[in-house]
Amino acid sequence: MREEFVVKVPIRLKPAVTAAAAAAAATVVVAALAAPAFASTASASTAAPSSGHSGYSGASHAVFVQTDATSGNHVVAYHRAADGALSPAGSYPTGGLGGVLGGSVVDHTASQGSLTYDPWHSLLYAVNAGSNTVSVFAVSGDHLALRQVLSSGGTFPVSVAVHGDLVYVVNALDGGSLHGYRVLGGFLVPLPGSSRALGLNPGASPQFTNTPGQVAFTPDGSRLIVTTKANGNDIDVFDVGFGGWLSAAPVVNSEPGTVPFAITFDSYGHLVIAEAGTNALATFTISGHGTLSQLDAVGTGDAATCWVAPAGPFLFASNAGSAAESGFTSSGGGQLTLLGATATDAGTVDASAAAGGRFLYVQTGGAGIVDEYAVSSSGALTQIGSVTVPDAVGGEGIVAF
């Protein structure tokens, strides 16, 4: 997530809604949209921490990590101290199951954005890849309360994007699909007619390199972007129209051999893609027609460069095959400069920055460890410590603020 979007407003947690209440909310939205009803399964329950104690004092300094455990997915909460160090603050069941894509080892969902924070509504969205659902948590500091568990609208959800009241989920299997929701009263309501098939080859193998990598909105919310990894080597750009509906089909930007994986934007608004096929970061502009123009591409010199996270003026790419985090700067013209690499624990995957980019938290799937770093004014990383997340080997999804 981006620190500049965080709105630190205290909230009063409401009890989890009943299925009947969620259905009533859905009816209100469907009526307002004047569209056909969309059938979906939804449930809600109360969640209390299964372990740990927060000691929350009112400041919003937290890191949340998704385990993606197939025995029962959890979001594990950590309190972030002023010096960036983490301490346990509880473990929250999502009400769903984690999943494992074929061929994956340290990255079971092979995606970025499987755990996504919504600062506009103080909500946290978690995918349950093994049960085809999405969980919605209310966030207060380093505390969570489960609000809702509902269908992802497809098979094996791997990434969630949010902009304002609009949320989209990308499902990885059966050729890939998108499904949209509206936020209403702190709950997600399925957006009728929002589903879009990605048309990928459902039999392409191995799964972990041939499924969508991420779904993300452009900063102004006018477009939705999906990466297909090796299943086409494409960056798909959908227009987001009135009411949140997507264009019927995307503009398909082919990037042969690059295996486009993770998505972010630099501080100048350029699209940044982590390319696993070339082990590089690449920057692009997006035209009014949805076509991309490449500005630069710079290799990390490491292996399996799949994830990228902004941290203040810097970009950090995770290299799963090299156990390293590569730092970059990006200029106003989109030119990238490699700053060097910092060693991490094995299986470097997702990362998230906090405190205006002063701290970076890197999820490593080899042993389910989160490495904690301070980010200097030059972009150098200094390790503060690390925490081992229970039952999180191969897990993905981290949010820091």
Side-chain angles (χ1 to χ4, degrees):
M1 61 158 286
R2 298 186 178 185
E3 182 72 18
E4 61 266 32
F5 289 142
V6 177
V7 180
K8 298 179 179 178
V9 180
I11 64 170
R12 292 177 56 193
L13 298 182
K14 299 178 181 179
V17 294
T18 64
T27 301
V28 171
V29 169
V30 170
L33 294 171
F38 178 84
S40 68
T41 57
S43 63
S45 61
T46 302
S50 58
S51 64
H53 175 69
S54 156
Y56 170 63
S57 61
S60 296
H61 301 307
V63 174
F64 298 107
V65 185
Q66 181 167 247
T67 68
D68 195 46
T70 56
S71 58
N73 194 16
H74 284 69
V75 176
V76 181
Y78 293 90
H79 177 74
R80 176 174 64 83
D83 64 357
L86 302 182
S87 57
S91 181
Y92 299 82
T94 66
L97 304 176
V100 181
L101 288 171
S104 66
V105 178
V106 298
D107 55 343
H108 288 167
T109 62
S111 66
Q112 183 167 281
S114 63
L115 188 68
T116 300
Y117 181 55
D118 176 351
W120 293 271
H121 304 97
S122 296
L123 298 174
L124 188 70
Y125 308 120
V127 301
N128 299 303
S131 50
N132 305 326
T133 58
V134 176
S135 296
V136 181
F137 290 92
V139 180
S140 179
D142 51 25
H143 290 273
L144 298 177
L146 183 62
R147 283 273 182 88
Q148 191 179 16
V149 179
L150 73 167
S151 171
S152 69
T155 307
F156 208 96
V158 294
S159 182
V160 182
V162 58
H163 187 275
D165 291 332
L166 189 59
V167 174
Y168 268 89
V169 174
V170 65
N171 296 284
L173 298 184
D174 297 335
S177 64
L178 292 165
H179 189 65
Y181 307 82
R182 280 288 183 190
V183 183
L184 179 66
F187 300 94
L188 289 185
V189 177
L191 181 62
S194 64
S195 294
R196 298 289 184 271
L198 296 179
L200 306 182
N201 177 4
S205 181
Q207 286 180 331
F208 84 110
T209 57
N210 285 279
T211 46
Q214 188 176 359
V215 59
F217 284 99
T218 55
D220 64 0
S222 66
R223 290 182 173 87
L224 190 73
I225 301 171
V226 181
T227 53
T228 70
K229 301 208 295 274
N231 206 329
N233 285 282
D234 298 325
I235 303 171
D236 293 347
V237 180
F238 289 85
D239 284 332
V240 180
F242 178 77
W245 285 278
L246 304 179
S247 50
V251 174
V252 177
N253 296 274
S254 181
E255 303 289 329
T258 63
V259 189
F261 192 119
I263 304 167
T264 193
F265 291 85
D266 68 12
S267 55
Y268 299 96
H270 304 121
L271 173 66
V272 181
I273 301 291
E275 299 179 339
T278 54
N279 295 310
L281 288 191
T283 54
F284 300 85
T285 59
I286 307 174
S287 77
H289 300 291
T291 56
L292 303 184
S293 296
Q294 184 170 301
L295 300 172
D296 199 9
V298 175
T300 61
D302 286 303
T305 304
C306 299
W307 298 265
V308 58
F314 306 108
L315 298 164
F316 289 95
S318 297
N319 308 288
S322 301
E325 195 75 13
S326 298
F328 289 82
T329 59
S330 180
S331 73
Q335 300 304 303
L336 294 164
T337 300
L338 177 64
L339 301 177
T342 303
T344 70
D345 280 292
T348 319
V349 289
D350 216 345
S352 184
R358 291 193 298 114
F359 303 111
L360 184 73
Y361 300 92
V362 181
Q363 194 173 15
T364 64
I369 294 171
V370 171
D371 291 329
E372 312 157 14
Y373 299 93
V375 184
S376 76
S377 59
S378 65
L381 298 180
T382 301
Q383 187 159 9
I384 299 167
S386 64
V387 292
T388 299
V389 183
D391 208 18
V393 173
E396 286 179 292
I398 184 168
V399 167
F401 57 87

